[in-house]
Amino acid sequence: MDARFLGIPELAETPSVAVVVDVMRAFTVAAWAFAQGAERIVLAESPDEALELRARHPEWVALKDGPPAPGFDAVNSPGLLRSFDLGGRTVVQKTTAGTVGALAVKDASLVLCASFVVAEATAGLLRSRDHDDVTFVVTGEDGRADEDLACAQYIALRAAGAGTDAADFLRRAGASRAARELAHGVRQGVHPDDVALCLELDRFPFAMVATPEDSLMVLRPYAVPSSADAGPR
């Protein structure tokens, strides 16, 4: 598999297959939303669009980065979201980097959204499809966020069937700027457990696939059977 690692500004053309990585915290939060029963996640282009969708669909749940805000039901924190009952509901998500990255590659033939909590399932889906060319979109810090790059590199190695120790990749993520900012309260809308929850390897057994639905970009969980020939970790 030929893997490329690009920041959002470096996406000069639409890739065939894109894995959009946001560890801290968009796609860790998305995975938790599915674990809490959400049926689907609509990736909004702006806070205004998220609020408009929420107003048109009062039963939907809207979340965003930063502190709580009028019209939004939750913030982009796995530690805070895990107390929500989202059974059967649609979540509208707008974040600074993760949702922006997914929308930037919305015309790709396959768009996966990923973080460490769904790393092996994401790699397993890539292995099952046997793609030759995969673009990993490193969403944070214009492609320089080490937590996202570490996760992307780990998934790429696992997708290629390599026996890979996750410890160094998780260590890099834990030492990243984003992890420090979350741990020291630089960012708002944070739970004390957020960093630890973002570093839980393979907590969930599903990948997350984004597809266009009725002019919206919609994320859904995708169960991936375990593979005996995936190689040791």
Side-chain angles (χ1 to χ4, degrees):
M1 185 184 76
D2 181 16
R4 295 187 302 163
F5 304 91
L6 300 177
I8 297 171
E10 299 173 294
L11 293 167
E13 58 186 27
T14 300
S16 174
V17 177
V19 180
V20 187
V21 181
D22 189 326
V23 172
M24 296 185 186
R25 297 165 282 171
F27 297 139
T28 300
V29 166
W32 270 97
F34 290 129
Q36 295 301 104
E39 178 182 350
R40 64 177 189 161
I41 297 174
V42 174
L43 305 177
E45 292 191 4
S46 67
D48 286 344
E49 183 190 31
L51 289 173
E52 180 185 350
L53 289 168
R54 176 68 172 80
R56 282 165 38 198
H57 304 278
E59 73 279 11
W60 289 12
V61 175
L63 66 87
K64 61 177 279 295
D65 276 336
F72 287 90
D73 306 283
V75 295
N76 193 46
S77 160
L80 295 172
L81 194 70
R82 63 185 172 175
S83 64
F84 278 66
D85 179 5
L86 298 173
R89 301 180 76 178
T90 293
V91 173
V92 182
Q93 185 180 34
K94 171 65 181 88
T95 70
T96 306
T99 59
V100 174
L103 290 166
V105 294
K106 63 183 179 180
D107 293 327
S109 62
L110 176 64
V111 179
L112 304 179
C113 296
S115 62
F116 279 112
V117 296
V118 293
E120 186 58 30
T122 305
L125 181 54
L126 291 172
R127 285 194 302 268
S128 71
R129 302 288 181 91
D130 196 25
H131 293 292
D132 294 327
D133 186 6
V134 178
T135 296
F136 289 84
V137 183
V138 180
T139 60
E141 301 177 38
D142 291 335
R144 298 186 300 275
D146 202 35
E147 74 280 4
D148 294 338
L149 180 58
C151 184
Q153 291 170 335
Y154 176 73
I155 292 172
L157 288 170
R158 292 297 299 153
T164 307
D165 187 350
D168 287 342
F169 298 93
L170 292 167
R171 190 176 302 113
R172 283 169 53 193
S176 68
R177 174 182 172 182
R180 294 194 304 272
E181 289 182 351
L182 290 172
H184 293 106
V186 175
R187 303 187 186 187
Q188 295 181 293
V190 177
H191 187 279
D193 293 342
D194 277 357
V195 173
L197 292 173
C198 289
L199 298 178
E200 286 190 326
L201 184 67
D202 303 332
R203 169 142 192 164
F204 304 115
F206 51 80
M208 298 187 294
V209 180
T211 55
E213 295 183 21
D214 298 326
S215 78
L216 300 173
M217 195 66 169
V218 176
L219 191 63
R220 294 182 184 272
Y222 185 95
V224 179
S226 60
S227 173
D229 59 357
R233 282 189 280 175

